[in-house]
Amino acid sequence: MSTQAAGSHDRRELIANSAIRVIARDGVRALTHRVVDIEAGIPQGATSHHARTRLALIELIVNTLAERAIADAKQAAAFLNVTAQGEHQLSISDLAGVITELVETLSDRRDDMKARYALVLELGDEPLLRRKLTTQSEVHAISREVTAILFDRAGLPSSDERVDELITLTDALIFHRTIIQENTSPESILAAYLRGVASLAGDLIGES
């Protein structure tokens, strides 16, 4: 990457991060080019140079959030694909702990998550952008793959229904910790759900 291209990339990243902070703090309606210039500490008009319209600025933010989420999901998938080659099987407690770590890691990125939730609500008229932050995104597809691996490692059924349930529960726990900001550990909630899945699977096997 040339020095000029690297400089442009760094400036766009600075703008995206500053815009995310604005949304997280003040909401989507507060987002303007001038406010982002001030937040980023860059000359007036610099944001407009990289994102000429408000929609282009929102697209820059959405792409940044989506790229980070995809990177996280791919890293998790790569880790699980390596560890899945071993013989160790996850217990219910192990699996609840793994997912709790994920919830806590993502919740610590409070600005990113608050901006994501705000944009999901705001982008009803922009379905293509909204999909990048919801269940029709690349990160959701990777998350489903990772979740299925986790179920398999714990000896639990990895049907589409169970995978979608766990992703939905995990999203809800992240939302709760991000927005409500309570520090109650989600581990007991996750363990209770997973024990229910295990019990149901056992009942079904007994009936077959």
Side-chain angles (χ1 to χ4, degrees), residues 47-105:
T47 297
S48 295
H49 176 72
H50 291 275
R52 294 194 178 279
T53 65
R54 189 171 185 274
L55 181 58
L57 178 57
I58 290 175
E59 184 174 7
L60 173 61
I61 299 164
V62 169
N63 286 338
T64 298
L65 292 172
E67 286 165 6
R68 290 175 183 171
I70 290 168
D72 288 340
K74 286 183 175 179
Q75 184 175 11
F79 171 76
L80 288 171
N81 282 333
V82 171
T83 58
Q85 296 173 10
E87 296 181 357
H88 174 65
Q89 181 168 319
L90 293 175
S91 66
I92 294 293
S93 179
D94 291 336
L95 181 51
V98 168
I99 302 170
T100 295
E101 288 182 12
L102 174 63
V103 170
E104 292 175 345
T105 297

Side-chain angles (χ1 to χ4, degrees), residues 131-167:
R131 286 173 190 163
K132 292 185 178 183
L133 302 176
T134 56
T135 57
Q136 297 183 52
S137 63
E138 180 181 354
V139 68
H140 184 73
I142 300 171
S143 297
R144 296 187 87 263
E145 175 188 343
V146 171
T147 303
I149 293 172
L150 287 172
F151 271 130
D152 289 340
R153 289 288 309 282
L156 297 175
S158 56
S159 65
D160 289 345
E161 183 180 5
R162 297 286 88 85
V163 167
D164 287 338
E165 284 176 357
L166 184 53
I167 290 175

Side-chain angles (χ1 to χ4, degrees), residues 150-202:
L150 287 172
F151 271 130
D152 289 340
R153 289 288 309 282
L156 297 175
S158 56
S159 65
D160 289 345
E161 183 180 5
R162 297 286 88 85
V163 167
D164 287 338
E165 284 176 357
L166 184 53
I167 290 175
T168 299
L169 176 57
T170 302
D171 280 344
L173 291 169
I174 295 169
F175 179 86
H176 187 268
R177 286 179 69 88
T178 301
I179 304 301
I180 308 302
Q181 299 186 21
E182 291 185 5
N183 292 322
T184 303
S185 173
E187 190 163 358
S188 60
I189 298 171
L190 289 161
Y193 164 75
L194 293 168
R195 283 194 294 269
V197 171
S199 177
L200 179 60

